[in-house]
Amino acid sequence: VVIETDSDQAIQQIQHGPTPNSPFKALIEDAKFLLQRCNCSLIHTFREGNKVADLLANLGVAQSEHVLILEDSPTEATAFLIDDMLGVPAMRD
């Protein structure tokens, strides 16, 4: 499994370990353990190549609920999903 993220900092912390005073130390160590156990790899992608994930993350931040289950993709994501399926290249802003 290949996991793409636009967070270079997250990749660095998982690959090289968190800083000693990181409030996310346990979470980072758990992620590193699970990635190794599942034989997953992390790669960096620019935000433009990860538009649907970026949109979903922004929607999640704006929610007051702790858990949100989507039955369908958000309307705002439709164009991005179609572009992904068609292999349309994403241009940097």
Side-chain angles (χ1 to χ4, degrees):
V1 174
V2 177
I3 300 170
E4 294 180 346
T5 178
D6 61 6
S7 176
D8 226 2
Q9 183 180 16
I11 292 174
Q12 293 302 316
Q13 289 197 26
I14 290 170
Q15 289 178 340
H16 304 294
T19 57
N21 58 350
S22 173
F24 306 110
K25 186 175 181 176
L27 182 63
I28 293 167
E29 289 172 350
D30 286 350
K32 184 175 184 172
F33 171 78
L34 291 171
L35 287 169
Q36 289 171 340
R37 187 164 181 192
C38 297
N39 196 26
C40 296
S41 60
L42 290 174
I43 61 169
H44 180 262
T45 185
F46 290 104
R47 185 171 292 130
E48 294 82 2
N50 213 11
K51 288 183 179 182
V52 174
D54 189 55
L55 176 98
L56 292 173
N58 289 330
L59 286 174
V61 168
Q63 296 300 313
S64 59
E65 298 89 8
H66 293 291
V67 175
L68 178 66
I69 298 172
L70 300 173
E71 300 277 333
D72 297 302
S73 63
T75 306
E76 305 94 323
T78 302
F80 298 146
L81 290 168
I82 291 170
D83 286 350
D84 282 349
M85 287 188 285
L86 295 175
V88 175
M91 305 305 287
R92 297 232 37 195
D93 296 329

Coordinates of all heavy atoms in Angstrom, one line a residue:
V1 N 0.9 -1.2 0.0 CA 0.0 0.0 0.0 C 0.9 1.2 0.0 O 1.9 1.3 0.8 CB -0.9 0.0 1.2 CG1 -1.7 1.3 1.3 CG2 -1.8 -1.2 1.2
V2 N 0.6 2.2 -0.9 CA 1.3 3.4 -1.0 C 0.4 4.5 -0.4 O -0.7 4.7 -0.9 CB 1.8 3.7 -2.4 CG1 2.4 5.1 -2.5 CG2 2.7 2.6 -2.9
I3 N 0.8 5.2 0.5 CA 0.0 6.3 1.1 C 0.7 7.6 0.7 O 1.9 7.9 0.9 CB 0.0 6.3 2.7 CG1 -0.6 4.9 3.1 CG2 -0.7 7.5 3.2 CD1 -0.5 4.7 4.6
E4 N -0.1 8.5 0.0 CA 0.3 9.8 -0.4 C -0.1 10.9 0.5 O -1.3 10.8 1.0 CB -0.2 10.1 -1.8 CG 0.3 9.2 -2.9 CD -0.3 9.6 -4.3 OE1 -1.2 10.3 -4.3 OE2 0.3 9.1 -5.2
T5 N 0.7 11.8 0.9 CA 0.4 12.9 1.7 C 1.1 14.2 1.2 O 2.2 14.1 0.7 CB 0.7 12.7 3.2 OG1 0.4 13.8 4.0 CG2 2.2 12.3 3.4
D6 N 0.4 15.3 1.4 CA 1.1 16.6 1.1 C 1.8 17.2 2.3 O 2.4 18.3 2.2 CB 0.1 17.6 0.5 CG -1.0 17.9 1.4 OD1 -1.0 17.5 2.6 OD2 -1.9 18.7 1.0
S7 N 1.9 16.4 3.4 CA 2.6 16.9 4.6 C 4.0 16.3 4.6 O 4.2 15.1 5.1 CB 1.8 16.5 5.8 OG 2.6 16.9 7.0
D8 N 5.0 17.0 4.2 CA 6.4 16.6 4.2 C 6.8 16.4 5.7 O 7.5 15.5 6.1 CB 7.3 17.6 3.6 CG 8.3 16.9 2.6 OD1 8.3 15.7 2.5 OD2 9.1 17.7 2.1
Q9 N 6.3 17.3 6.6 CA 6.6 17.2 8.0 C 6.1 15.9 8.6 O 6.8 15.3 9.4 CB 6.0 18.4 8.7 CG 6.4 18.4 10.2 CD 5.8 19.6 10.9 OE1 4.8 20.3 10.4 NE2 6.3 19.9 12.1
A10 N 4.9 15.5 8.2 CA 4.4 14.2 8.8 C 5.3 13.0 8.3 O 5.6 12.1 9.1 CB 2.9 14.0 8.3
I11 N 5.7 13.0 7.1 CA 6.5 11.9 6.6 C 7.8 11.9 7.4 O 8.3 10.9 7.8 CB 6.8 12.1 5.1 CG1 5.5 11.8 4.3 CG2 7.9 11.1 4.6 CD1 5.6 12.1 2.8
Q12 N 8.5 13.1 7.5 CA 9.7 13.2 8.3 C 9.6 12.7 9.7 O 10.4 11.9 10.2 CB 10.3 14.6 8.2 CG 10.6 15.1 6.9 CD 11.7 14.2 6.2 OE1 12.7 13.8 6.8 NE2 11.5 13.9 5.0
Q13 N 8.5 13.0 10.4 CA 8.4 12.6 11.8 C 8.1 11.1 11.9 O 8.6 10.5 12.8 CB 7.2 13.4 12.4 CG 7.7 14.9 12.7 CD 6.8 15.6 13.7 OE1 6.2 14.9 14.5 NE2 6.7 16.9 13.5
I14 N 7.4 10.6 10.9 CA 7.1 9.1 11.0 C 8.4 8.3 10.6 O 8.7 7.4 11.2 CB 5.9 8.7 10.0 CG1 4.6 9.3 10.6 CG2 5.9 7.2 9.8 CD1 3.4 9.2 9.7
Q15 N 9.1 8.8 9.6 CA 10.3 8.1 9.2 C 11.5 8.2 10.2 O 12.2 7.3 10.4 CB 10.8 8.6 7.8 CG 9.8 8.1 6.7 CD 10.2 8.6 5.4 OE1 11.0 9.6 5.2 NE2 9.7 8.0 4.3
H16 N 11.6 9.4 10.8 CA 12.8 9.7 11.7 C 12.4 9.8 13.1 O 13.3 10.1 13.9 CB 13.5 10.9 11.2 CG 13.9 10.9 9.7 ND1 14.9 10.0 9.3 CD2 13.5 11.5 8.6 CE1 15.0 10.1 8.0 NE2 14.2 11.0 7.5
G17 N 11.2 9.7 13.4 CA 10.7 9.8 14.8 C 10.4 11.2 15.2 O 10.9 12.2 14.6
P18 N 9.5 11.4 16.2 CA 9.0 12.7 16.6 C 10.1 13.4 17.4 O 11.0 12.8 17.9 CB 7.8 12.4 17.4 CG 8.1 11.1 18.0 CD 8.8 10.3 16.9
T19 N 9.9 14.7 17.5 CA 10.8 15.5 18.4 C 10.5 15.1 19.8 O 9.4 14.6 20.1 CB 10.6 17.0 18.2 OG1 9.2 17.3 18.5 CG2 11.0 17.4 16.8
P20 N 11.4 15.2 20.7 CA 11.2 14.7 22.1 C 10.0 15.3 22.8 O 9.4 14.7 23.6 CB 12.5 15.0 22.8 CG 13.5 15.1 21.7 CD 12.8 15.6 20.5
N21 N 9.7 16.6 22.5 CA 8.7 17.3 23.2 C 7.4 17.3 22.4 O 6.5 18.1 22.7 CB 9.1 18.7 23.6 CG 9.5 19.5 22.4 OD1 9.7 19.0 21.3 ND2 9.7 20.8 22.6
S22 N 7.3 16.5 21.3 CA 6.1 16.6 20.4 C 4.8 16.1 21.2 O 4.9 15.0 21.8 CB 6.3 15.7 19.2 OG 5.1 15.6 18.5
P23 N 3.7 16.8 21.1 CA 2.5 16.4 21.8 C 1.9 15.2 21.0 O 1.0 14.5 21.5 CB 1.6 17.6 21.7 CG 2.1 18.4 20.5 CD 3.6 18.1 20.5
F24 N 2.4 14.9 19.8 CA 1.9 13.8 19.0 C 2.8 12.6 19.0 O 2.7 11.7 18.2 CB 1.7 14.3 17.6 CG 0.8 15.5 17.5 CD1 1.4 16.7 17.1 CD2 -0.5 15.4 17.8 CE1 0.6 17.8 17.0 CE2 -1.3 16.6 17.7 CZ -0.8 17.8 17.3
K25 N 3.8 12.5 20.0 CA 4.8 11.5 20.0 C 4.2 10.1 20.0 O 4.6 9.2 19.1 CB 5.7 11.6 21.2 CG 6.8 10.7 21.3 CD 7.7 11.0 22.4 CE 8.9 10.0 22.4 NZ 9.9 10.2 23.4
A26 N 3.2 9.8 20.8 CA 2.6 8.5 20.8 C 1.9 8.1 19.5 O 2.0 7.0 19.0 CB 1.6 8.3 22.0
L27 N 1.2 9.1 19.0 CA 0.5 8.9 17.7 C 1.4 8.6 16.6 O 1.2 7.7 15.7 CB -0.4 10.2 17.4 CG -1.2 10.1 16.1 CD1 -2.3 9.0 16.2 CD2 -1.9 11.5 15.9
I28 N 2.5 9.4 16.5 CA 3.6 9.2 15.5 C 4.2 7.8 15.6 O 4.4 7.1 14.6 CB 4.6 10.3 15.5 CG1 3.9 11.6 15.2 CG2 5.8 10.0 14.6 CD1 4.8 12.9 15.5
E29 N 4.5 7.4 16.8 CA 5.1 6.1 17.0 C 4.2 5.0 16.7 O 4.6 4.0 16.1 CB 5.6 6.0 18.5 CG 6.8 6.9 18.8 CD 7.2 6.9 20.2 OE1 6.5 6.4 21.1 OE2 8.3 7.5 20.5
D30 N 2.9 5.1 17.0 CA 1.9 4.1 16.6 C 1.8 4.1 15.0 O 1.7 3.0 14.5 CB 0.5 4.5 17.2 CG 0.4 4.2 18.6 OD1 1.3 3.6 19.2 OD2 -0.6 4.6 19.2
A31 N 1.8 5.2 14.4 CA 1.7 5.2 12.9 C 2.9 4.5 12.3 O 2.7 3.7 11.4 CB 1.6 6.7 12.4
K32 N 4.1 4.8 12.8 CA 5.3 4.2 12.3 C 5.2 2.7 12.5 O 5.5 1.9 11.6 CB 6.5 4.8 13.0 CG 7.8 4.2 12.5 CD 9.0 4.9 13.2 CE 10.3 4.5 12.6 NZ 11.4 5.3 13.1
F33 N 4.8 2.2 13.6 CA 4.6 0.8 13.9 C 3.7 0.1 12.9 O 4.0 -0.9 12.3 CB 4.2 0.5 15.3 CG 3.8 -0.9 15.6 CD1 4.8 -1.8 15.9 CD2 2.5 -1.3 15.7 CE1 4.5 -3.1 16.1 CE2 2.2 -2.6 16.0 CZ 3.2 -3.5 16.2
L34 N 2.5 0.7 12.7 CA 1.5 0.2 11.9 C 1.9 0.2 10.4 O 1.7 -0.8 9.7 CB 0.2 1.0 12.0 CG -0.6 0.8 13.3 CD1 -1.7 1.8 13.5 CD2 -1.0 -0.7 13.5
L35 N 2.6 1.2 10.0 CA 3.1 1.3 8.6 C 4.1 0.2 8.3 O 4.1 -0.4 7.3 CB 3.7 2.6 8.3 CG 2.7 3.8 8.1 CD1 3.4 5.1 8.1 CD2 1.9 3.6 6.9
Q36 N 5.0 -0.1 9.3 CA 6.0 -1.1 9.1 C 5.3 -2.5 9.1 O 5.7 -3.4 8.3 CB 7.0 -1.1 10.3 CG 7.9 0.1 10.1 CD 8.8 0.3 11.4 OE1 8.5 -0.2 12.5 NE2 9.9 1.1 11.2
R37 N 4.4 -2.7 10.0 CA 3.7 -4.0 10.1 C 2.8 -4.3 8.8 O 2.7 -5.4 8.4 CB 2.8 -4.0 11.3 CG 2.2 -5.3 11.6 CD 1.6 -5.3 13.0 NE 1.1 -6.7 13.1 CZ 0.3 -7.0 14.1 NH1 0.0 -6.2 15.0 NH2 -0.1 -8.3 14.2
C38 N 2.3 -3.3 8.2 CA 1.4 -3.4 7.0 C 2.2 -3.4 5.7 O 1.7 -3.5 4.6 CB 0.4 -2.4 7.0 SG -0.8 -2.5 8.4
N39 N 3.5 -3.1 5.8 CA 4.4 -3.0 4.7 C 3.9 -1.9 3.8 O 3.8 -2.0 2.5 CB 4.5 -4.3 3.9 CG 5.7 -4.3 2.9 OD1 6.6 -3.6 3.1 ND2 5.6 -5.1 1.9
C40 N 3.5 -0.7 4.4 CA 3.1 0.4 3.7 C 4.2 1.4 3.5 O 5.2 1.4 4.2 CB 2.0 1.2 4.5 SG 0.5 0.2 4.7
S41 N 4.1 2.2 2.4 CA 5.1 3.3 2.2 C 4.5 4.6 2.1 O 3.3 4.7 1.7 CB 6.0 3.0 1.0 OG 5.1 2.9 -0.2
L42 N 5.2 5.6 2.5 CA 4.7 7.0 2.5 C 5.4 7.7 1.3 O 6.7 7.6 1.2 CB 5.0 7.7 3.8 CG 4.2 7.3 5.0 CD1 4.7 8.1 6.2 CD2 2.7 7.6 4.8
I43 N 4.7 8.5 0.5 CA 5.4 9.3 -0.4 C 4.7 10.7 -0.4 O 3.5 10.9 0.0 CB 5.3 8.8 -1.9 CG1 3.9 8.6 -2.3 CG2 6.0 7.5 -2.0 CD1 3.8 8.3 -3.8
H44 N 5.5 11.7 -0.7 CA 5.0 13.1 -0.8 C 4.4 13.4 -2.1 O 4.8 13.0 -3.1 CB 6.2 14.0 -0.5 CG 5.8 15.5 -0.5 ND1 5.9 16.3 -1.6 CD2 5.2 16.2 0.4 CE1 5.4 17.5 -1.4 NE2 5.0 17.5 -0.1
T45 N 3.2 14.1 -2.0 CA 2.6 14.6 -3.2 C 2.2 16.0 -2.9 O 2.0 16.4 -1.8 CB 1.4 13.8 -3.6 OG1 0.8 14.3 -4.8 CG2 0.3 13.8 -2.6
F46 N 2.2 16.9 -3.9 CA 1.9 18.2 -3.7 C 0.4 18.3 -3.5 O -0.4 17.5 -4.0 CB 2.3 19.1 -4.9 CG 3.8 19.3 -4.9 CD1 4.5 18.6 -5.9 CD2 4.4 20.1 -4.1 CE1 5.9 18.7 -5.9 CE2 5.8 20.3 -4.1 CZ 6.6 19.6 -5.0
R47 N -0.1 19.3 -2.8 CA -1.5 19.5 -2.5 C -2.4 19.4 -3.8 O -3.5 18.9 -3.8 CB -1.7 20.8 -1.8 CG -3.2 21.0 -1.4 CD -3.4 22.2 -0.5 NE -2.7 22.0 0.8 CZ -1.8 22.8 1.4 NH1 -1.6 24.0 0.8 NH2 -1.3 22.5 2.5
E48 N -1.8 19.9 -4.9 CA -2.5 19.9 -6.2 C -2.8 18.5 -6.7 O -3.8 18.3 -7.4 CB -1.7 20.7 -7.3 CG -1.6 22.1 -7.0 CD -0.4 22.5 -6.0 OE1 0.3 21.6 -5.6 OE2 -0.3 23.7 -5.7
G49 N -2.0 17.6 -6.3 CA -2.2 16.2 -6.6 C -3.0 15.4 -5.6 O -3.2 14.2 -5.8
N50 N -3.5 16.1 -4.7 CA -4.2 15.4 -3.6 C -5.5 16.3 -3.2 O -5.8 16.5 -2.1 CB -3.3 15.3 -2.4 CG -3.6 14.1 -1.5 OD1 -4.3 13.2 -1.9 ND2 -3.0 14.1 -0.3
K51 N -6.1 16.8 -4.2 CA -7.2 17.8 -4.0 C -8.4 17.2 -3.3 O -9.0 17.9 -2.4 CB -7.7 18.4 -5.4 CG -6.7 19.3 -6.0 CD -7.2 19.9 -7.3 CE -6.2 20.8 -7.9 NZ -6.7 21.4 -9.1
V52 N -8.8 16.0 -3.5 CA -9.9 15.4 -2.8 C -9.6 15.3 -1.3 O -10.4 15.6 -0.5 CB -10.4 14.1 -3.4 CG1 -11.5 13.5 -2.6 CG2 -10.9 14.3 -4.9
A53 N -8.4 14.7 -1.0 CA -8.0 14.6 0.4 C -8.0 15.9 1.1 O -8.4 16.1 2.2 CB -6.7 13.9 0.5
D54 N -7.4 16.9 0.4 CA -7.3 18.3 1.0 C -8.7 18.8 1.2 O -9.0 19.4 2.3 CB -6.6 19.2 0.0 CG -6.2 20.5 0.6 OD1 -5.6 20.6 1.7 OD2 -6.6 21.6 0.0
L55 N -9.6 18.7 0.3 CA -11.0 19.1 0.5 C -11.7 18.5 1.7 O -12.3 19.1 2.5 CB -11.8 18.9 -0.8 CG -13.3 19.2 -0.7 CD1 -13.5 20.6 -1.3 CD2 -14.1 18.2 -1.4
L56 N -11.5 17.1 1.8 CA -12.1 16.4 2.9 C -11.5 16.8 4.2 O -12.2 16.9 5.2 CB -12.0 14.9 2.7 CG -12.8 14.3 1.5 CD1 -12.4 12.8 1.3 CD2 -14.3 14.4 1.7
A57 N -10.2 17.0 4.2 CA -9.6 17.5 5.5 C -10.1 18.9 5.9 O -10.4 19.1 7.1 CB -8.1 17.6 5.3
N58 N -10.3 19.8 4.9 CA -10.8 21.1 5.3 C -12.3 21.0 5.7 O -12.7 21.7 6.6 CB -10.7 22.0 4.1 CG -9.2 22.4 3.8 OD1 -8.4 22.5 4.7 ND2 -8.9 22.6 2.6
L59 N -13.1 20.1 5.1 CA -14.4 19.9 5.6 C -14.5 19.4 7.0 O -15.3 19.8 7.8 CB -15.2 19.0 4.6 CG -15.6 19.5 3.3 CD1 -16.2 18.4 2.4 CD2 -16.6 20.6 3.4
G60 N -13.6 18.4 7.3 CA -13.5 17.9 8.6 C -13.1 18.9 9.7 O -13.7 18.9 10.8
V61 N -12.2 19.8 9.4 CA -11.8 20.8 10.3 C -13.0 21.7 10.6 O -13.2 22.2 11.8 CB -10.6 21.6 9.8 CG1 -10.4 22.9 10.6 CG2 -9.4 20.8 9.7
A62 N -13.9 22.0 9.6 CA -15.0 22.9 9.8 C -16.2 22.2 10.5 O -17.1 22.9 10.9 CB -15.4 23.4 8.4
Q63 N -16.1 20.9 10.8 CA -17.3 20.2 11.5 C -17.2 20.4 13.0 O -16.1 20.4 13.6 CB -17.2 18.7 11.1 CG -17.4 18.5 9.6 CD -18.8 19.0 9.1 OE1 -19.8 18.8 9.7 NE2 -18.7 19.6 8.0
S64 N -18.3 20.4 13.6 CA -18.4 20.5 15.1 C -18.5 19.1 15.6 O -18.2 18.8 16.8 CB -19.6 21.3 15.5 OG -20.8 20.8 15.0
E65 N -19.0 18.1 14.8 CA -19.1 16.7 15.3 C -17.7 16.1 15.3 O -16.8 16.4 14.6 CB -20.0 15.9 14.3 CG -21.4 16.4 14.2 CD -21.6 17.4 13.1 OE1 -20.7 17.7 12.4 OE2 -22.7 18.0 13.1
H66 N -17.6 15.1 16.2 CA -16.3 14.4 16.3 C -16.2 13.4 15.2 O -15.0 13.1 14.8 CB -16.2 13.7 17.7 CG -16.1 14.6 18.8 ND1 -15.0 15.4 19.0 CD2 -17.0 14.9 19.8 CE1 -15.2 16.1 20.1 NE2 -16.3 15.8 20.6
V67 N -17.3 12.8 14.7 CA -17.2 11.8 13.7 C -18.3 12.2 12.6 O -19.4 12.6 13.0 CB -17.6 10.4 14.2 CG1 -17.7 9.4 13.0 CG2 -16.5 9.9 15.2
L68 N -17.9 12.2 11.4 CA -18.8 12.5 10.3 C -18.7 11.4 9.3 O -17.7 11.1 8.8 CB -18.4 13.9 9.7 CG -19.3 14.3 8.5 CD1 -20.7 14.6 9.0 CD2 -18.7 15.5 7.8
I69 N -19.8 10.8 9.0 CA -19.9 9.7 8.0 C -20.6 10.3 6.8 O -21.7 10.7 6.9 CB -20.6 8.5 8.5 CG1 -19.9 7.9 9.8 CG2 -20.8 7.4 7.5 CD1 -20.6 6.8 10.5
L70 N -19.9 10.2 5.6 CA -20.5 10.7 4.4 C -21.1 9.5 3.6 O -20.4 8.5 3.3 CB -19.4 11.4 3.5 CG -18.8 12.6 4.2 CD1 -17.6 13.1 3.3 CD2 -19.8 13.7 4.4
E71 N -22.3 9.6 3.2 CA -22.9 8.6 2.4 C -22.5 8.7 0.9 O -22.3 7.7 0.2 CB -24.5 8.7 2.4 CG -25.0 8.6 3.8 CD -25.2 7.1 4.2 OE1 -25.4 6.3 3.4 OE2 -25.2 6.8 5.5
D72 N -22.3 9.9 0.5 CA -21.8 10.2 -0.9 C -20.7 11.2 -0.8 O -20.5 11.9 0.2 CB -23.0 10.8 -1.7 CG -24.1 9.9 -1.9 OD1 -23.9 8.8 -2.4 OD2 -25.2 10.2 -1.5
S73 N -19.9 11.3 -1.9 CA -18.9 12.4 -1.9 C -19.5 13.7 -1.9 O -20.6 13.9 -2.5 CB -18.0 12.2 -3.1 OG -18.7 12.3 -4.3
P74 N -18.8 14.7 -1.3 CA -19.4 16.1 -1.3 C -19.4 16.6 -2.7 O -18.6 16.3 -3.6 CB -18.3 16.9 -0.5 CG -17.6 15.8 0.3 CD -17.6 14.6 -0.5
T75 N -20.4 17.4 -3.0 CA -20.6 18.0 -4.3 C -19.3 18.7 -4.8 O -19.0 18.6 -6.0 CB -21.8 19.0 -4.3 OG1 -22.9 18.3 -3.8 CG2 -22.1 19.5 -5.7
E76 N -18.7 19.3 -3.9 CA -17.5 20.1 -4.2 C -16.3 19.2 -4.7 O -15.4 19.6 -5.4 CB -16.9 20.9 -3.0 CG -17.9 21.8 -2.4 CD -18.7 21.2 -1.2 OE1 -19.0 19.9 -1.3 OE2 -18.9 21.9 -0.2
A77 N -16.4 17.9 -4.4 CA -15.3 17.0 -4.8 C -15.5 16.4 -6.2 O -14.6 15.8 -6.7 CB -15.2 15.9 -3.8
T78 N -16.7 16.5 -6.7 CA -17.1 15.8 -8.0 C -16.1 16.1 -9.1 O -15.6 15.2 -9.8 CB -18.5 16.1 -8.4 OG1 -19.4 15.8 -7.3 CG2 -18.9 15.4 -9.7
A79 N -15.8 17.3 -9.3 CA -14.9 17.7 -10.4 C -13.5 17.1 -10.2 O -12.9 16.7 -11.2 CB -14.8 19.2 -10.6
F80 N -13.0 17.2 -9.0 CA -11.7 16.6 -8.7 C -11.7 15.1 -8.9 O -10.7 14.6 -9.4 CB -11.3 16.9 -7.2 CG -11.2 18.4 -6.9 CD1 -11.6 18.8 -5.6 CD2 -10.8 19.3 -7.8 CE1 -11.5 20.2 -5.3 CE2 -10.7 20.7 -7.5 CZ -11.0 21.1 -6.2
L81 N -12.7 14.4 -8.5 CA -12.8 13.0 -8.7 C -12.8 12.6 -10.2 O -12.2 11.7 -10.6 CB -14.1 12.4 -8.0 CG -14.0 12.4 -6.5 CD1 -15.4 12.1 -5.9 CD2 -13.0 11.5 -5.9
I82 N -13.6 13.4 -10.9 CA -13.6 13.1 -12.4 C -12.3 13.3 -13.0 O -11.8 12.5 -13.8 CB -14.7 14.0 -13.1 CG1 -16.1 13.5 -12.6 CG2 -14.6 13.9 -14.6 CD1 -17.2 14.4 -13.0
D83 N -11.6 14.4 -12.6 CA -10.2 14.7 -13.1 C -9.3 13.5 -12.8 O -8.5 13.1 -13.6 CB -9.7 16.0 -12.6 CG -10.3 17.2 -13.2 OD1 -11.0 17.1 -14.2 OD2 -10.1 18.3 -12.7
D84 N -9.4 13.0 -11.5 CA -8.5 11.9 -11.1 C -8.8 10.7 -12.0 O -7.9 10.0 -12.4 CB -8.8 11.6 -9.6 CG -8.1 12.5 -8.7 OD1 -7.3 13.3 -9.1 OD2 -8.4 12.4 -7.5
M85 N -10.1 10.4 -12.2 CA -10.4 9.2 -13.0 C -9.9 9.3 -14.4 O -9.5 8.3 -15.1 CB -11.9 9.0 -13.0 CG -12.4 8.4 -11.6 SD -14.2 8.0 -11.7 CE -15.0 9.6 -11.7
L86 N -9.9 10.5 -15.0 CA -9.5 10.8 -16.3 C -8.0 10.9 -16.5 O -7.5 11.0 -17.6 CB -10.2 12.0 -16.9 CG -11.8 11.9 -17.1 CD1 -12.4 13.2 -17.5 CD2 -12.1 10.7 -18.0
G87 N -7.3 11.0 -15.3 CA -5.9 11.2 -15.3 C -5.5 12.6 -15.7 O -4.4 12.8 -16.3
V88 N -6.3 13.6 -15.5 CA -6.0 15.0 -15.8 C -4.9 15.5 -14.9 O -5.0 15.4 -13.7 CB -7.3 15.9 -15.7 CG1 -6.9 17.4 -15.9 CG2 -8.4 15.5 -16.6
P89 N -3.8 16.0 -15.5 CA -2.7 16.5 -14.6 C -3.1 17.7 -13.8 O -3.9 18.5 -14.3 CB -1.6 16.8 -15.6 CG -2.2 17.0 -16.9 CD -3.5 16.2 -16.9
A90 N -2.6 17.8 -12.6 CA -2.9 18.9 -11.7 C -1.8 19.9 -11.8 O -0.6 19.6 -11.7 CB -3.0 18.4 -10.3
M91 N -2.2 21.1 -12.1 CA -1.2 22.2 -12.2 C -0.9 22.9 -10.9 O -1.9 23.1 -10.1 CB -1.6 23.2 -13.3 CG -2.0 22.6 -14.6 SD -0.7 21.6 -15.4 CE 0.4 22.9 -15.9
R92 N 0.3 23.3 -10.6 CA 0.6 24.1 -9.4 C 0.1 25.5 -9.6 O 0.2 26.1 -10.6 CB 2.1 24.1 -9.2 CG 2.6 22.7 -8.9 CD 3.4 22.4 -7.7 NE 3.0 23.1 -6.6 CZ 3.8 23.3 -5.5 NH1 5.0 22.7 -5.5 NH2 3.4 23.9 -4.5
D93 N -0.4 26.0 -8.5 CA -0.9 27.4 -8.5 C 0.3 28.4 -8.6 O 1.4 28.2 -8.2 CB -1.7 27.8 -7.3 CG -3.0 26.9 -7.3 OD1 -3.5 26.6 -8.4 OD2 -3.5 26.6 -6.2

